[in-house]
Amino acid sequence: MSMSMMDTPSPHPDLNRNRLPTLFEVLSRQTLAPVDLFSFYIFMRDQQRSVDYLDFWLDVSQHMSLCRHYVRELRRSVLVETPDLEKQGSKRSSYILDHMGEMNDPSGPSTNLNGDEKMRDQHLSAYLRQENGNGANHSPHSSLGSQQSGLRGSGDRPSNGTDRERPPRPSFMTNGSPGRTNSNSPAHTVARADIRASAEKILYTFLLPGSEREIILPQGILTDITTSIEEEGRDDPEVFDAAKDYTFQAMERDAFPGFLRAKALGNLVPPSSFLRLCLGLLGMFGAFWAGFACILLDKPKHIRCWLILPFTIGVYCLSSQQYSIDPVLALAGLSEYTFMNWSRIREPYIRKLMNKRAMMVLLFTVLIGVCLIVLFIFVPGHRL
């Protein structure tokens, strides 16, 4: 899965957002912990058990980034090598390059793009198709992308920090030195073969039946993508548009609501909640056992005051498990992303929401705990 997805710096998070974020904002890296892309990846991997869909989405985004970076460099080299191109009258490919415009890398589905963005994407895909048609035929089965489709860059995972977006790294999918390319422009960091290999890697890793990390997509979408890449030789970003939209909608419908419940309304992961359930039941068992023993043995009140400890532990742990939030840690600004690993709550609205829920759980814990403690301390004893 590739995380150096965009050629431009990552968008600044909206610190004035007074609502829960959308999936589009999370994938665009416009949010902070605990509702950032890193946390969403961990959630998809550990709780939703469907991280392959997110990896597919990010690999397609990386493929789009490679295409944009390649065309941007090619346009730059054309302007450097042929400064009088406009005076001579450009060919169709040069016209497309000249009218590509600023190429940002939207992270949402293609249906969310405005007219200008759609037009730029269409120009990008049209240019790549035209260039691919003018080049040599490429065999998908003998390509470097198919031979190395099992290789995954470990440095491309989401990182828990304030990473800046970088241009796509020099691809491992091409042979030779980084400075050598198959284009006429000097020292491209992205070669034309990288784009082809990237498309094949996505196909062979996620889409073909029996592939390494096969995801479930409608058969019509799979057939169209397979035909476009293997038979028509296409590798432009439009090949994956339908699959990308379908994956986005699936994550938005099936995974993202659970992610918001887990990270925006709570700060515990399931193993921690289960641990608190065990500790809470153990504490309540000890508290009731000791409480009834003190009553039936007619122990004085200063001895019964020791019941405060097990009742407090039991009620606190059970309340934390019930609401999936540890109120003390939430008020301290901490959220758990894996078992016993904590990160700061940096999203302002989430911090505000978490503080409210923590206070509510804390008041509930104090109320129940006080009631039980008063009952078992002040009830008259009767020695059997």
Side-chain angles (χ1 to χ4, degrees):
M1 186 218 22
S2 299
M3 287 304 302
S4 54
M5 291 186 298
M6 291 187 263
D7 300 336
T8 57
S10 49
H12 294 291
D14 182 8
L15 299 180
N16 298 320
R17 179 173 43 237
N18 197 33
R19 55 171 175 78
L20 294 174
T22 64
L23 178 59
F24 174 83
E25 291 169 334
V26 171
L27 294 176
S28 301
R29 296 207 261 188
Q30 298 176 21
T31 56
L32 300 173
V35 288
D36 56 344
L37 181 56
F38 173 79
S39 300
F40 185 53
Y41 186 87
I42 296 296
F43 174 83
M44 292 288 285
R45 184 193 69 186
D46 295 345
Q47 299 185 41
Q48 195 70 16
R49 306 290 184 183
S50 54
V51 72
D52 289 346
Y53 287 88
L54 181 55
D55 274 338
F56 169 76
W57 166 272
L58 294 171
D59 275 4
V60 171
S61 296
Q62 168 69 2
H63 179 70
M64 169 66 83
S65 181
L66 285 172
C67 296
R68 291 175 185 278
H69 196 69
Y70 171 77
V71 172
R72 183 181 289 113
E73 285 190 333
L74 191 60
R75 179 173 60 180
R76 214 177 279 136
S77 67
V78 167
L79 293 177
V80 171
E81 295 176 6
T82 56
D84 56 345
L85 184 64
E86 292 183 358
K87 300 177 183 178
Q88 299 174 356
S90 61
K91 299 178 181 179
R92 172 172 169 77
S93 60
S94 299
Y95 176 86
I96 294 176
L97 287 175
D98 293 340
H99 291 75
M100 200 75 71
E102 289 299 322
M103 295 182 294
N104 297 321
D105 198 0
S107 294
S110 60
T111 53
N112 284 5
L113 302 181
N114 58 39
D116 291 340
E117 290 170 336
K118 288 181 178 179
M119 185 64 67
R120 286 194 292 269
D121 282 353
Q122 290 171 359
H123 283 166
L124 174 66
S125 295
Y127 174 77
L128 292 174
R129 285 196 300 270
Q130 180 184 14
E131 188 188 46
N132 196 44
N134 292 336
N137 291 332
H138 183 86
S139 172
H141 298 289
S142 61
S143 69
L144 291 169
S146 62
Q147 293 169 9
Q148 302 187 21
S149 62
L151 296 177
R152 314 285 297 174
S154 60
D156 294 335
R157 296 288 172 187
S159 59
N160 186 13
T162 56
D163 292 350
R164 287 308 217 176
E165 300 286 357
R166 303 177 302 276
R169 67 195 185 288
S171 175
F172 59 83
M173 293 179 287
T174 54
N175 290 330
S177 62
R180 293 183 58 191
T181 69
N182 62 346
S183 70
N184 295 324
S185 59
H188 278 236
T189 58
V190 179
R192 186 64 178 84
D194 288 343
I195 297 175
R196 178 67 191 180
S198 172
E200 291 175 345
K201 186 184 72 168
I202 295 172
L203 175 66
Y204 301 142
T205 302
F206 296 101
L207 302 179
L208 291 182
S211 57
E212 176 188 356
R213 304 175 64 187
E214 183 181 1
I215 62 175
I216 305 302
L217 294 176
Q219 187 59 44
I221 295 178
L222 292 176
T223 302
D224 291 343
I225 294 175
T226 304
T227 301
S228 297
I229 294 177
E230 294 195 324
E231 297 182 14
E232 299 175 10
R234 289 179 56 184
D235 53 20
D236 55 279
E238 282 186 0
V239 170
F240 299 106
D241 272 355
K244 188 179 181 185
D245 292 349
Y246 181 88
T247 303
F248 182 91
Q249 293 165 6
M251 290 191 296
E252 189 175 45
R253 180 184 64 249
D254 300 332
F256 194 64
F259 171 70
L260 290 181
R261 281 194 300 270
K263 296 302 179 182
L265 303 180
N267 66 339
L268 298 176
V269 296
S272 286
S273 292
F274 181 73
L275 177 61
R276 282 164 173 76
L277 174 63
C278 295
L279 292 176
L281 293 175
L282 186 62
M284 294 302 289
F285 173 79
F288 280 115
W289 180 84
F292 281 113
C294 289
I295 292 173
L296 297 177
L297 295 176
D298 196 16
K299 295 294 183 180
K301 291 182 175 58
H302 71 275
I303 294 180
R304 296 192 196 184
C305 286
W306 286 102
L307 295 174
I308 294 175
L309 185 61
F311 271 124
T312 301
I313 294 175
V315 174
Y316 183 86
C317 289
L318 290 179
S319 299
S320 298
Q321 188 275 334
Q322 177 66 29
Y323 294 99
S324 294
I325 182 173
D326 189 304
V328 172
L329 294 175
L331 291 174
L334 296 175
S335 179
E336 191 177 32
Y337 58 92
T338 58
F339 184 62
M340 301 303 292
N341 290 309
W342 303 85
S343 63
R344 304 293 300 182
I345 301 174
R346 303 186 184 278
E347 184 76 18
Y349 180 73
I350 301 300
R351 180 68 185 269
K352 202 172 7 176
L353 191 63
M354 202 81 77
N355 287 342
K356 291 180 181 178
R357 282 181 58 83
M359 290 301 300
M360 181 198 73
V361 173
L362 208 53
L363 290 175
F364 175 78
T365 301
V366 170
L367 178 63
I368 299 299
V370 167
C371 291
L372 291 171
I373 291 168
V374 168
L375 176 65
F376 278 89
I377 288 179
F378 292 101
V379 68
H382 179 73
R383 190 174 185 89
L384 296 177

